[in-house]
Amino acid sequence: MISQTEENYLKALFALTSTKGEASVNELSKMLDIKMPTVNGMMKRLSEKDFVIYESYKPLKLTEKGRKEASLIIRKHRLTEMYLVEKMGFGWEEVHDIAEQIEHIQSPAFFAKMDEILGFPEVDPHGSPIPDENGKVIVKDFDRLSDCESGDVVKFMAVKPSSEELLKFLNSRELVLGAVITIQSVELFDKSMSVNYAHREMEVLSNMVCEKLLVEHVAK
Amino acid sequence: MISQTEENYLKALFALTSTKGEASVNELSKMLDIKMPTVNGMMKRLSEKDFVIYESYKPLKLTEKGRKEASLIIRKHRLTEMYLVEKMGFGWEEVHDIAEQIEHIQSPAFFAKMDEILGFPEVDPHGSPIPDENGKVIVKDFDRLSDCESGDVVKFMAVKPSSEELLKFLNSRELVLGAVITIQSVELFDKSMSVNYAHREMEVLSNMVCEKLLVEHVAK
DNA sequence: CAATATTGTTAGATTGTACTAATAATTTGT
DNA sequence: ACAAATTATTAGTACAATCTAACAATATTG
Ligand SMILES: [Mn+2]
Ligand SMILES: [Mn+2]
Ligand SMILES: [Mn+2]
Ligand SMILES: [Mn+2]
Protein backbone atom coordinates (compact mmCIF):
# COMPACT_ATOMS: atom_id res chain seq x y z
CA MET A 1 0.00 0.00 0.00
CA ILE A 2 2.71 2.48 0.93
CA SER A 3 6.06 2.17 -0.81
CA GLN A 4 9.53 2.41 0.69
CA THR A 5 10.00 5.62 -1.27
CA GLU A 6 6.83 7.13 0.12
CA GLU A 7 7.88 6.11 3.62
CA ASN A 8 11.16 7.97 3.24
CA TYR A 9 9.36 11.12 2.09
CA LEU A 10 6.98 10.94 5.04
CA LYS A 11 9.80 10.47 7.50
CA ALA A 12 11.73 13.43 6.10
CA LEU A 13 8.65 15.63 6.13
CA PHE A 14 7.96 14.58 9.70
CA ALA A 15 11.44 15.66 10.73
CA LEU A 16 11.15 19.01 8.95
CA THR A 17 7.69 19.80 10.28
CA SER A 18 8.37 18.74 13.85
CA THR A 19 9.38 22.25 14.89
CA LYS A 20 7.22 24.72 12.91
CA GLY A 21 4.48 22.27 11.90
CA GLU A 22 5.14 23.01 8.24
CA ALA A 23 7.88 22.81 5.64
CA SER A 24 8.59 23.86 2.07
CA VAL A 25 9.02 21.74 -1.03
CA ASN A 26 12.48 23.27 -1.29
CA GLU A 27 13.56 22.13 2.19
CA LEU A 28 12.27 18.60 1.56
CA SER A 29 14.04 18.56 -1.77
CA LYS A 30 17.34 19.46 -0.12
CA MET A 31 16.92 17.03 2.75
CA LEU A 32 16.19 14.10 0.43
CA ASP A 33 18.53 15.24 -2.33
CA ILE A 34 15.73 14.86 -4.85
CA LYS A 35 14.83 17.60 -7.33
CA MET A 36 11.91 19.88 -6.54
CA PRO A 37 9.56 18.78 -9.34
CA THR A 38 9.88 15.18 -8.16
CA VAL A 39 9.15 16.17 -4.58
CA ASN A 40 6.28 18.35 -5.67
CA GLY A 41 4.72 15.46 -7.56
CA MET A 42 5.17 13.10 -4.65
CA MET A 43 3.50 15.60 -2.32
CA LYS A 44 0.46 15.58 -4.59
CA ARG A 45 0.39 11.80 -4.50
CA LEU A 46 0.72 11.69 -0.73
CA SER A 47 -2.02 14.28 -0.36
CA GLU A 48 -4.17 12.09 -2.62
CA LYS A 49 -3.54 9.27 -0.14
CA ASP A 50 -4.34 11.63 2.73
CA PHE A 51 -0.90 11.64 4.34
CA VAL A 52 -0.07 15.25 3.44
CA ILE A 53 -1.96 18.52 3.12
CA TYR A 54 -0.90 19.98 -0.21
CA GLU A 55 -2.10 23.27 -1.65
CA SER A 56 -0.29 25.08 -4.45
CA TYR A 57 2.30 27.55 -3.21
CA LYS A 58 1.38 26.84 0.43
CA PRO A 59 3.70 25.20 2.96
CA LEU A 60 3.44 21.43 3.34
CA LYS A 61 1.83 19.85 6.37
CA LEU A 62 1.33 16.27 7.47
CA THR A 63 -2.17 15.03 8.22
CA GLU A 64 -2.75 13.17 11.47
CA LYS A 65 -2.60 9.96 9.41
CA GLY A 66 0.70 11.08 7.91
CA ARG A 67 2.18 11.92 11.30
CA LYS A 68 1.17 8.54 12.67
CA GLU A 69 2.57 6.68 9.67
CA ALA A 70 5.87 8.58 9.94
CA SER A 71 6.08 7.98 13.69
CA LEU A 72 5.66 4.27 13.23
CA ILE A 73 8.49 4.16 10.71
CA ILE A 74 10.67 6.15 13.10
CA ARG A 75 9.67 3.68 15.80
CA LYS A 76 10.99 0.84 13.65
CA HIS A 77 14.15 2.81 12.88
CA ARG A 78 14.95 3.53 16.51
CA LEU A 79 14.04 0.08 17.80
CA THR A 80 16.37 -1.31 15.17
CA GLU A 81 19.22 1.01 16.16
CA MET A 82 18.77 0.05 19.79
CA TYR A 83 18.73 -3.64 18.89
CA LEU A 84 21.86 -3.36 16.76
CA VAL A 85 23.74 -1.63 19.59
CA GLU A 86 22.41 -3.56 22.57
CA LYS A 87 22.05 -7.05 21.12
CA MET A 88 24.47 -7.22 18.22
CA GLY A 89 27.38 -5.18 19.49
CA PHE A 90 27.44 -2.38 16.92
CA GLY A 91 28.71 1.08 17.86
CA TRP A 92 26.17 3.91 17.95
CA GLU A 93 27.95 5.47 14.96
CA GLU A 94 27.42 2.38 12.80
CA VAL A 95 23.71 1.75 13.07
CA HIS A 96 21.90 4.54 11.27
CA ASP A 97 22.41 3.35 7.69
CA ILE A 98 21.37 -0.19 8.52
CA ALA A 99 18.27 1.05 10.36
CA GLU A 100 17.47 3.26 7.37
CA GLN A 101 16.87 0.02 5.45
CA ILE A 102 15.40 -2.21 8.13
CA GLU A 103 12.78 0.41 9.08
CA HIS A 104 10.96 -0.61 5.86
CA ILE A 105 10.58 -4.29 6.77
CA GLN A 106 6.90 -5.24 6.91
CA SER A 107 6.54 -7.54 9.88
CA PRO A 108 4.87 -6.39 13.07
CA ALA A 109 6.06 -9.61 14.74
CA PHE A 110 9.69 -8.82 13.97
CA PHE A 111 9.60 -5.41 15.62
CA ALA A 112 7.42 -6.63 18.48
CA LYS A 113 10.08 -9.25 19.20
CA MET A 114 12.86 -6.67 19.10
CA ASP A 115 10.90 -4.45 21.46
CA GLU A 116 10.31 -7.33 23.87
CA ILE A 117 13.92 -8.54 23.79
CA LEU A 118 15.09 -5.00 24.49
CA GLY A 119 12.67 -4.67 27.41
CA PHE A 120 10.54 -1.96 25.78
CA PRO A 121 13.16 0.79 25.61
CA GLU A 122 12.06 4.43 25.58
CA VAL A 123 15.03 5.89 23.72
CA ASP A 124 17.39 4.86 20.94
CA PRO A 125 21.20 4.72 21.26
CA HIS A 126 21.42 8.46 20.51
CA GLY A 127 18.90 9.38 23.18
CA SER A 128 16.03 10.00 20.76
CA PRO A 129 12.64 8.84 22.03
CA ILE A 130 11.07 5.72 20.50
CA PRO A 131 7.41 6.35 19.53
CA ASP A 132 4.93 3.85 20.99
CA GLU A 133 2.84 1.35 18.96
CA ASN A 134 0.27 4.09 18.30
CA GLY A 135 2.84 6.54 17.03
CA LYS A 136 2.81 8.69 20.16
CA VAL A 137 6.14 10.21 21.14
CA ILE A 138 7.07 11.79 24.42
CA VAL A 139 9.25 14.74 23.42
CA LYS A 140 11.50 15.97 26.17
CA ASP A 141 12.94 19.38 25.51
CA PHE A 142 16.49 19.18 26.69
CA ASP A 143 18.89 22.12 26.67
CA ARG A 144 21.78 22.32 24.30
CA LEU A 145 25.08 22.13 26.13
CA SER A 146 26.06 25.26 24.18
CA ASP A 147 23.33 27.19 26.03
CA CYS A 148 24.70 26.28 29.46
CA GLU A 149 27.00 28.38 31.60
CA SER A 150 30.20 28.01 33.48
CA GLY A 151 29.58 26.13 36.72
CA ASP A 152 26.53 24.25 35.42
CA VAL A 153 26.37 20.54 36.18
CA VAL A 154 24.40 18.67 33.53
CA LYS A 155 23.61 15.14 32.41
CA PHE A 156 24.26 14.18 28.78
CA MET A 157 20.90 12.90 27.54
CA ALA A 158 20.93 12.82 23.73
CA VAL A 159 22.82 13.73 20.57
CA LYS A 160 21.07 15.80 17.91
CA PRO A 161 20.78 13.82 14.68
CA SER A 162 24.09 14.52 13.01
CA SER A 163 27.11 13.01 11.34
CA GLU A 164 28.85 9.72 12.05
CA GLU A 165 31.97 11.84 12.58
CA LEU A 166 30.53 13.56 15.65
CA LEU A 167 29.68 10.18 17.16
CA LYS A 168 33.22 8.95 16.49
CA PHE A 169 34.58 12.13 18.07
CA LEU A 170 32.50 11.50 21.19
CA ASN A 171 33.79 7.91 21.25
CA SER A 172 37.34 9.21 21.17
CA ARG A 173 36.60 11.39 24.20
CA GLU A 174 34.73 8.60 26.02
CA LEU A 175 31.75 10.88 26.24
CA VAL A 176 28.73 8.59 26.56
CA LEU A 177 25.03 9.12 27.21
CA GLY A 178 24.33 9.56 30.90
CA ALA A 179 27.66 11.23 31.64
CA VAL A 180 27.48 13.99 34.21
CA ILE A 181 29.30 17.02 32.83
CA THR A 182 30.57 19.96 34.85
CA ILE A 183 31.27 23.11 32.89
CA GLN A 184 34.55 24.55 34.09
CA SER A 185 34.74 27.53 31.76
CA VAL A 186 33.46 28.99 28.53
CA GLU A 187 35.74 30.84 26.12
CA LEU A 188 34.32 34.23 25.15
CA PHE A 189 35.53 34.45 21.55
CA ASP A 190 34.64 30.98 20.20
CA LYS A 191 32.25 29.74 22.92
CA SER A 192 34.25 26.54 23.32
CA MET A 193 33.87 24.89 26.71
CA SER A 194 36.23 23.22 29.12
CA VAL A 195 34.39 20.46 30.91
CA ASN A 196 34.90 17.62 33.38
CA TYR A 197 33.09 14.26 33.23
CA ALA A 198 33.84 10.76 34.47
CA HIS A 199 37.60 10.53 34.85
CA ARG A 200 38.27 13.20 32.24
CA GLU A 201 39.24 16.71 33.25
CA MET A 202 39.40 19.99 31.30
CA GLU A 203 38.27 18.43 28.05
CA VAL A 204 37.74 21.15 25.46
CA LEU A 205 34.57 20.93 23.35
CA SER A 206 34.04 23.32 20.45
CA ASN A 207 30.79 25.23 20.14
CA MET A 208 29.90 23.15 17.07
CA VAL A 209 30.05 20.07 19.25
CA CYS A 210 28.26 21.65 22.22
CA GLU A 211 25.34 22.63 20.00
CA LYS A 212 24.78 18.97 19.18
CA LEU A 213 24.77 17.70 22.76
CA LEU A 214 21.46 17.75 24.61
CA VAL A 215 21.59 17.90 28.38
CA GLU A 216 19.48 18.11 31.49
CA HIS A 217 20.43 20.24 34.51
CA VAL A 218 21.35 18.14 37.49
CA ALA A 219 22.36 20.48 40.28
CA LYS A 220 23.46 23.99 40.98
CA MET B 1 23.49 -1.79 -9.00
CA ILE B 2 21.22 -4.80 -8.64
CA SER B 3 17.63 -4.21 -7.56
CA GLN B 4 15.54 -6.13 -5.06
CA THR B 5 13.37 -7.28 -7.95
CA GLU B 6 16.33 -8.56 -9.90
CA GLU B 7 17.62 -10.33 -6.80
CA ASN B 8 14.35 -12.19 -6.42
CA TYR B 9 14.47 -13.33 -10.06
CA LEU B 10 18.03 -14.57 -9.64
CA LYS B 11 17.19 -16.47 -6.50
CA ALA B 12 14.19 -18.14 -8.13
CA LEU B 13 16.19 -19.05 -11.21
CA PHE B 14 18.93 -20.45 -8.98
CA ALA B 15 16.42 -22.70 -7.25
CA LEU B 16 14.93 -23.91 -10.52
CA THR B 17 18.27 -24.58 -12.19
CA SER B 18 19.89 -26.28 -9.23
CA THR B 19 18.81 -29.73 -10.42
CA LYS B 20 18.93 -29.72 -14.23
CA GLY B 21 21.16 -26.68 -14.67
CA GLU B 22 18.51 -24.98 -16.75
CA ALA B 23 14.92 -23.77 -16.52
CA SER B 24 12.18 -22.39 -18.74
CA VAL B 25 10.63 -18.95 -18.79
CA ASN B 26 7.35 -20.68 -18.04
CA GLU B 27 8.63 -22.34 -14.87
CA LEU B 28 10.12 -19.09 -13.62
CA SER B 29 6.90 -17.30 -14.42
CA LYS B 30 4.92 -19.78 -12.34
CA MET B 31 7.37 -19.76 -9.45
CA LEU B 32 7.37 -15.98 -9.18
CA ASP B 33 3.72 -15.57 -10.12
CA ILE B 34 4.69 -13.01 -12.73
CA LYS B 35 3.45 -13.19 -16.33
CA MET B 36 5.73 -14.71 -18.96
CA PRO B 37 6.35 -11.57 -21.02
CA THR B 38 7.58 -9.77 -17.91
CA VAL B 39 9.87 -12.63 -17.02
CA ASN B 40 11.11 -12.85 -20.58
CA GLY B 41 12.02 -9.16 -20.56
CA MET B 42 13.75 -9.45 -17.22
CA MET B 43 15.81 -12.39 -18.48
CA LYS B 44 17.03 -10.22 -21.34
CA ARG B 45 17.98 -7.51 -18.88
CA LEU B 46 19.79 -9.94 -16.60
CA SER B 47 21.63 -11.44 -19.55
CA GLU B 48 22.64 -7.88 -20.52
CA LYS B 49 24.12 -7.60 -17.02
CA ASP B 50 25.79 -10.98 -17.45
CA PHE B 51 23.87 -12.82 -14.74
CA VAL B 52 21.90 -15.05 -17.11
CA ILE B 53 22.50 -16.78 -20.43
CA TYR B 54 19.51 -15.94 -22.59
CA GLU B 55 18.94 -17.10 -26.13
CA SER B 56 15.54 -17.04 -27.81
CA TYR B 57 13.58 -20.22 -27.36
CA LYS B 58 16.44 -21.84 -25.45
CA PRO B 59 16.32 -22.83 -21.78
CA LEU B 60 17.58 -20.27 -19.26
CA LYS B 61 20.88 -20.72 -17.50
CA LEU B 62 22.71 -18.74 -14.86
CA THR B 63 26.23 -17.51 -15.55
CA GLU B 64 28.88 -18.13 -12.91
CA LYS B 65 28.39 -14.49 -11.85
CA GLY B 66 24.63 -15.09 -11.59
CA ARG B 67 25.10 -18.24 -9.53
CA LYS B 68 27.40 -16.44 -7.13
CA GLU B 69 25.07 -13.47 -6.78
CA ALA B 70 22.12 -15.78 -6.09
CA SER B 71 24.11 -17.83 -3.57
CA LEU B 72 25.05 -14.73 -1.63
CA ILE B 73 21.42 -13.67 -1.40
CA ILE B 74 20.49 -17.16 -0.24
CA ARG B 75 23.32 -16.90 2.29
CA LYS B 76 21.74 -13.74 3.69
CA HIS B 77 18.31 -15.38 3.69
CA ARG B 78 19.46 -18.45 5.59
CA LEU B 79 21.68 -16.60 8.04
CA THR B 80 18.67 -14.42 8.80
CA GLU B 81 16.38 -17.39 9.36
CA MET B 82 18.92 -18.93 11.68
CA TYR B 83 19.32 -15.68 13.58
CA LEU B 84 15.57 -15.23 13.94
CA VAL B 85 15.16 -18.73 15.34
CA GLU B 86 18.29 -18.98 17.48
CA LYS B 87 18.60 -15.44 18.78
CA MET B 88 15.13 -13.97 18.65
CA GLY B 89 12.96 -16.94 19.56
CA PHE B 90 10.90 -17.30 16.40
CA GLY B 91 9.57 -20.69 15.35
CA TRP B 92 11.04 -22.23 12.18
CA GLU B 93 7.64 -21.83 10.51
CA GLU B 94 7.59 -18.06 11.09
CA VAL B 95 10.89 -16.93 9.64
CA HIS B 96 10.75 -17.37 5.88
CA ASP B 97 8.68 -14.29 5.03
CA ILE B 98 10.79 -12.03 7.22
CA ALA B 99 14.01 -13.42 5.71
CA GLU B 100 12.54 -12.88 2.24
CA GLN B 101 12.72 -9.16 3.01
CA ILE B 102 15.88 -8.96 5.12
CA GLU B 103 17.90 -10.86 2.49
CA HIS B 104 17.87 -7.63 0.45
CA ILE B 105 19.52 -5.46 3.12
CA GLN B 106 22.79 -4.02 1.82
CA SER B 107 25.22 -4.20 4.73
CA PRO B 108 28.03 -6.74 4.78
CA ALA B 109 28.71 -5.77 8.43
CA PHE B 110 25.17 -6.67 9.43
CA PHE B 111 25.35 -10.19 8.05
CA ALA B 112 28.93 -10.68 9.20
CA LYS B 113 27.77 -9.85 12.73
CA MET B 114 24.88 -12.30 12.50
CA ASP B 115 27.23 -14.99 11.27
CA GLU B 116 29.65 -14.34 14.11
CA ILE B 117 26.96 -14.23 16.80
CA LEU B 118 25.57 -17.52 15.50
CA GLY B 119 29.04 -19.09 15.55
CA PHE B 120 29.27 -19.51 11.76
CA PRO B 121 26.43 -21.99 11.29
CA GLU B 122 26.46 -24.37 8.33
CA VAL B 123 22.74 -24.89 7.99
CA ASP B 124 19.55 -22.87 8.42
CA PRO B 125 16.67 -23.85 10.74
CA HIS B 126 15.23 -26.11 8.03
CA GLY B 127 18.52 -27.93 7.51
CA SER B 128 19.38 -26.17 4.25
CA PRO B 129 23.08 -25.37 3.86
CA ILE B 130 24.25 -21.76 4.22
CA PRO B 131 26.55 -20.75 1.33
CA ASP B 132 29.91 -19.30 2.41
CA GLU B 133 31.10 -15.70 1.80
CA ASN B 134 32.19 -16.69 -1.71
CA GLY B 135 28.87 -18.22 -2.59
CA LYS B 136 30.09 -21.81 -2.33
CA VAL B 137 27.57 -24.30 -1.00
CA ILE B 138 28.21 -27.80 0.24
CA VAL B 139 25.25 -29.78 -1.04
CA LYS B 140 24.62 -32.98 0.81
CA ASP B 141 22.31 -35.35 -0.96
CA PHE B 142 20.12 -36.76 1.69
CA ASP B 143 17.50 -39.41 1.05
CA ARG B 144 13.82 -38.67 1.21
CA LEU B 145 12.17 -40.49 4.08
CA SER B 146 9.62 -41.68 1.53
CA ASP B 147 12.40 -43.66 -0.20
CA CYS B 148 13.32 -45.56 2.96
CA GLU B 149 12.11 -48.98 3.99
CA SER B 150 10.60 -50.68 6.97
CA GLY B 151 13.31 -51.30 9.55
CA ASP B 152 15.50 -48.39 8.47
CA VAL B 153 16.87 -46.16 11.20
CA VAL B 154 17.49 -42.64 9.93
CA LYS B 155 18.32 -39.20 11.22
CA PHE B 156 16.06 -36.28 10.24
CA MET B 157 18.43 -33.76 8.61
CA ALA B 158 16.38 -31.25 6.63
CA VAL B 159 12.93 -30.28 5.36
CA LYS B 160 12.45 -29.62 1.66
CA PRO B 161 11.41 -26.01 1.07
CA SER B 162 7.66 -26.18 1.51
CA SER B 163 4.66 -24.68 3.21
CA GLU B 164 4.38 -23.18 6.67
CA GLU B 165 1.65 -25.77 7.21
CA LEU B 166 4.06 -28.69 6.95
CA LEU B 167 6.32 -27.04 9.52
CA LYS B 168 3.38 -26.53 11.87
CA PHE B 169 2.40 -30.15 11.37
CA LEU B 170 5.91 -31.26 12.34
CA ASN B 171 5.71 -28.99 15.40
CA SER B 172 2.48 -30.69 16.41
CA ARG B 173 4.22 -34.10 16.23
CA GLU B 174 7.34 -32.82 18.03
CA LEU B 175 9.38 -33.94 15.05
CA VAL B 176 12.52 -31.80 15.08
CA LEU B 177 15.75 -31.78 13.11
CA GLY B 178 18.22 -34.34 14.41
CA ALA B 179 15.52 -36.76 15.52
CA VAL B 180 16.40 -40.42 15.00
CA ILE B 181 13.49 -42.10 13.26
CA THR B 182 12.88 -45.85 13.13
CA ILE B 183 10.54 -47.00 10.40
CA GLN B 184 8.19 -49.59 11.86
CA SER B 185 6.12 -50.26 8.78
CA VAL B 186 5.09 -48.92 5.40
CA GLU B 187 1.52 -49.20 4.13
CA LEU B 188 1.38 -50.69 0.64
CA PHE B 189 -1.60 -48.78 -0.79
CA ASP B 190 -0.79 -45.19 0.28
CA LYS B 191 2.89 -45.50 1.25
CA SER B 192 2.21 -43.93 4.63
CA MET B 193 4.74 -44.85 7.31
CA SER B 194 4.47 -45.75 10.96
CA VAL B 195 7.55 -44.51 12.72
CA ASN B 196 9.11 -44.18 16.16
CA TYR B 197 11.23 -41.25 17.31
CA ALA B 198 12.11 -39.68 20.66
CA HIS B 199 9.31 -40.64 23.02
CA ARG B 200 6.77 -40.99 20.23
CA GLU B 201 5.73 -44.42 19.02
CA MET B 202 3.81 -45.57 15.94
CA GLU B 203 3.33 -42.05 14.58
CA VAL B 204 1.76 -42.20 11.14
CA LEU B 205 3.25 -39.97 8.45
CA SER B 206 1.56 -39.67 5.06
CA ASN B 207 3.61 -40.11 1.90
CA MET B 208 3.16 -36.39 1.15
CA VAL B 209 4.90 -35.61 4.43
CA CYS B 210 7.60 -38.29 4.00
CA GLU B 211 8.55 -36.87 0.60
CA LYS B 212 9.41 -33.57 2.27
CA LEU B 213 11.62 -35.01 4.99
CA LEU B 214 15.29 -35.51 4.17
CA VAL B 215 17.19 -38.09 6.17
CA GLU B 216 20.51 -39.81 6.57
CA HIS B 217 20.86 -43.50 7.30
CA VAL B 218 22.19 -44.15 10.78
CA ALA B 219 22.33 -47.90 11.29
CA LYS B 220 20.97 -51.17 9.96
C1' DC C 1 7.69 49.42 -5.17
C1' DA C 2 10.07 47.62 -8.86
C1' DA C 3 13.85 44.55 -10.12
C1' DT C 4 15.90 40.42 -8.88
C1' DA C 5 16.33 36.13 -6.66
C1' DT C 6 14.18 32.25 -4.94
C1' DT C 7 10.76 28.88 -4.81
C1' DG C 8 7.06 26.22 -6.90
C1' DT C 9 4.75 24.21 -10.85
C1' DT C 10 3.97 22.25 -15.44
C1' DA C 11 5.37 19.68 -19.35
C1' DG C 12 7.85 16.21 -21.35
C1' DA C 13 11.41 12.50 -21.28
C1' DT C 14 13.50 8.24 -19.14
C1' DT C 15 13.91 3.89 -16.66
C1' DG C 16 12.12 -0.06 -14.08
C1' DT C 17 8.63 -3.32 -13.47
C1' DA C 18 4.39 -4.86 -14.33
C1' DC C 19 0.28 -6.00 -17.49
C1' DT C 20 -2.76 -7.77 -21.91
C1' DA C 21 -3.32 -9.08 -26.63
C1' DA C 22 -1.47 -10.83 -30.60
C1' DT C 23 1.68 -13.69 -32.92
C1' DA C 24 5.44 -17.07 -33.48
C1' DA C 25 8.02 -21.16 -32.32
C1' DT C 26 8.25 -25.51 -30.20
C1' DT C 27 6.41 -29.63 -28.19
C1' DT C 28 2.91 -33.16 -27.72
C1' DG C 29 -0.39 -36.45 -29.00
C1' DT C 30 -3.03 -39.05 -32.30
C1' DA D 1 3.27 -36.09 -39.87
C1' DC D 2 0.02 -33.03 -38.86
C1' DA D 3 -3.18 -30.68 -35.63
C1' DA D 4 -3.56 -29.00 -31.21
C1' DA D 5 -1.63 -27.48 -27.11
C1' DT D 6 1.90 -25.24 -24.85
C1' DT D 7 5.53 -22.05 -24.46
C1' DA D 8 8.03 -17.96 -25.95
C1' DT D 9 8.25 -13.56 -27.92
C1' DT D 10 6.82 -8.97 -29.56
C1' DA D 11 4.16 -4.87 -29.32
C1' DG D 12 1.81 -1.72 -26.87
C1' DT D 13 0.01 0.15 -22.30
C1' DA D 14 0.45 1.67 -17.43
C1' DC D 15 2.31 3.37 -13.30
C1' DA D 16 6.09 4.70 -10.01
C1' DA D 17 9.92 7.44 -9.46
C1' DT D 18 13.21 10.01 -11.24
C1' DC D 19 15.19 13.88 -14.30
C1' DT D 20 15.68 18.70 -17.16
C1' DA D 21 13.86 22.78 -19.19
C1' DA D 22 10.67 26.28 -19.19
C1' DC D 23 7.59 29.12 -16.95
C1' DA D 24 4.86 31.13 -12.94
C1' DA D 25 4.31 32.77 -8.32
C1' DT D 26 6.22 34.51 -4.22
C1' DA D 27 9.78 36.64 -1.49
C1' DT D 28 13.75 39.66 -0.95
C1' DT D 29 16.08 43.69 -1.39
C1' DG D 30 17.95 48.08 -3.22
MN1 LIG E 1 19.13 6.96 12.95
MN1 LIG F 1 14.72 4.48 5.03
MN1 LIG G 1 13.37 -19.57 3.70
MN1 LIG H 1 13.25 -11.64 -1.30
Side-chain angles (χ1 to χ4, degrees), chain B residues 180-207:
Chain B
V180 173
I181 300 172
T182 308
I183 304 173
Q184 297 299 120
S185 64
V186 184
E187 281 296 336
L188 285 172
F189 61 98
D190 70 353
K191 290 169 182 152
S192 67
M193 290 181 169
S194 288
V195 302
N196 290 359
Y197 57 88
H199 65 90
R200 295 225 174 202
E201 303 210 338
M202 299 307 280
E203 282 288 348
V204 178
L205 303 175
S206 73
N207 184 252

Side-chain angles (χ1 to χ4, degrees), chain A residues 15-207:
Chain A
L16 284 175
T17 55
S18 64
T19 38
K20 298 182 224 305
E22 47 187 56
S24 68
V25 172
N26 193 242
E27 290 169 306
L28 238 194
S29 168
K30 281 171 182 156
M31 161 158 295
L32 292 168
D33 194 25
I34 289 172
K35 296 288 177 292
M36 282 179 50
T38 307
V39 173
N40 201 65
M42 183 58 90
M43 289 306 103
K44 285 178 172 181
R45 231 144 74 50
L46 289 176
S47 98
E48 210 55 49
K49 295 188 178 184
D50 200 35
F51 288 115
V52 166
I53 295 164
Y54 175 88
E55 288 178 278
S56 278
Y57 298 104
K58 296 256 179 73
L60 302 166
K61 292 176 196 176
L62 281 172
T63 62
E64 193 48 46
K65 185 182 168 193
R67 253 192 303 279
K68 181 169 182 183
E69 195 69 29
S71 295
L72 292 176
I73 302 160
I74 291 166
R75 170 176 167 79
K76 294 195 282 179
H77 182 104
R78 295 187 177 159
L79 272 178
T80 300
E81 289 193 341
M82 200 61 178
Y83 189 91
L84 292 172
V85 168
E86 294 295 315
K87 301 298 168 184
M88 296 187 77
F90 283 98
W92 67 346
E93 78 284 2
E94 302 178 290
V95 297
H96 181 80
D97 290 351
I98 303 175
E100 201 56 54
Q101 298 178 66
I102 294 190
E103 70 190 0
H104 304 291
I105 299 291
Q106 308 283 243
S107 169
F110 179 59
F111 294 100
K113 195 72 94 173
M114 268 193 191
D115 198 19
E116 185 195 320
I117 290 172
L118 288 167
F120 313 102
E122 294 187 343
V123 296
D124 81 6
H126 313 104
S128 299
I130 298 174
D132 70 18
E133 316 74 17
N134 305 307
K136 289 274 156 284
V137 209
I138 302 139
V139 202
K140 295 203 178 145
D141 54 326
F142 296 124
D143 302 309
R144 285 175 301 183
L145 179 57
S146 55
D147 292 338
C148 300
E149 293 172 9
S150 183
D152 285 359
V153 179
V154 299
K155 192 170 180 186
F156 177 28
M157 300 303 288
V159 193
K160 281 207 171 187
S162 53
S163 67
E164 195 173 311
E165 280 62 43
L166 174 66
L167 298 175
K168 283 181 181 166
F169 170 81
L170 296 177
N171 285 347
S172 74
R173 304 299 147 105
E174 299 175 289
L175 190 40
V176 299
L177 286 192
V180 173
I181 300 172
T182 308
I183 303 172
Q184 297 299 120
S185 65
V186 183
E187 280 297 336
L188 285 171
F189 63 98
D190 71 353
K191 290 171 185 152
S192 67
M193 291 180 166
S194 289
V195 301
N196 291 358
Y197 56 88
H199 65 91
R200 295 226 173 201
E201 302 211 337
M202 298 309 279
E203 282 287 348
V204 178
L205 303 175
S206 73
N207 184 251

Side-chain angles (χ1 to χ4, degrees), chain B residues 21 80 86 117 124 134 146 196 205:
Chain B
T80 300
E86 294 296 316
I117 291 172
D124 82 3
N134 305 307
S146 55
N196 290 359
L205 303 175

Side-chain angles (χ1 to χ4, degrees), chain B residues 162-182:
Chain B
S162 54
S163 67
E164 196 173 311
E165 279 64 43
L166 174 65
L167 298 173
K168 283 182 181 165
F169 169 81
L170 296 176
N171 285 347
S172 75
R173 302 301 147 104
E174 299 175 289
L175 190 38
V176 299
L177 287 192
V180 173
I181 300 172
T182 308

